[in-house]
């Protein structure tokens, strides 16, 4: 379960959020988040503690969904990405970095499902405080049998502890 301070910072009014988390919240607000979905409405799907620094984790996140890093190449190969077009990271450390990615992924064999689907991914990576890193990722599959698209919103909150980083991943499907 998410720690109380994470939930408090994510649900506070913008002026309270800035004072609670040293310059930015984890949820909502202009420029703060890719999503309008409150953290409380997202489902926590993963909790893990990694023996890594917050800076090293941030560096790994910058290589996600791209072949610009060793981590990104491994991830793309494992997930079977093709026709990958990664945009450049834009923004600043203060406001957060944003990037868009387009690619094609192979679908599992299921009735009415295409062999592959086009995917559009939006990334937002920012420091909510010196001790907290927030990675948001909006994944939209464009070729689905029913409807126009399928969308998944991920919010990964990484909090620096003594000798490791606690990672809380929450998701919302629309």
């Amino acid at each position: 379960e998410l720690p109380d301070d994470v939930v408090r910072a994510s649900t506070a009014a913008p002026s309270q959020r800035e004072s609670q988390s040293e310059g930015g919240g984890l949820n909502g607000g202009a420029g703060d988040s890719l999503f309008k979905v409150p953290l409380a409405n997202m489902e926590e799907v993963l909790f893990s503690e990694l023996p890594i620094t917050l800076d090293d984790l941030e560096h790994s996140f910058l290589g996600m969904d791209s072949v610009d890093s060793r981590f990104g190449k491994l991830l793309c190969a494992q997930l079977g990405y093709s026709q990958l077009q990664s945009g450049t990271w834009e923004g600043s450390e203060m406001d957060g970095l944003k990037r868009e990615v387009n690619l094609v992924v192979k679908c599992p064999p299921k009735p009415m499902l295409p062999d592959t689907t086009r995917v559009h991914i939006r990334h937002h990576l920012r420091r909510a405080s010196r001790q907290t890193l927030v990675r948001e990722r909006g994944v939209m599959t464009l070729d689905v049998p029913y409807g126009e698209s399928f969308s998944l919103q991920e919010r990964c909150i990484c909090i620096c502890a003594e000798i490791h980083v606690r990672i809380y991943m929450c998701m919302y499907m629309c």
Side-chain angles (χ1 to χ4, degrees), residues 1-8 10-11 26 38-47 155-159 166-171:
E1 192 167 307
L2 291 171
D4 288 340
D5 59 331
V6 172
V7 175
R8 254 192 325 275
S10 71
T11 57
L26 304 176
L39 184 61
N41 292 358
M42 299 182 96
E43 180 180 347
E44 185 179 342
V45 296
L46 173 76
F47 168 76
R155 186 173 286 132
C156 186
I157 303 163
C158 309
I159 301 170
R166 291 187 180 122
I167 299 176
Y168 302 89
M169 183 174 291
C170 302
M171 292 188 175

Side-chain angles (χ1 to χ4, degrees), residues 6-20 25-29 32:
V6 172
V7 175
R8 254 192 325 275
S10 71
T11 57
S15 60
Q16 293 172 319
R17 193 168 51 236
E18 288 176 12
S19 63
Q20 286 178 355
L26 304 176
N27 184 54
D32 246 2

Side-chain angles (χ1 to χ4, degrees), residues 17 25 28-34 36 94-96 98 124 126 136:
R17 193 168 51 236
D32 246 2
S33 174
L34 285 177
K36 298 298 180 199
M94 188 72 153
D95 297 326
K98 293 182 179 179
H124 186 202
R126 65 188 170 80
E136 293 177 315

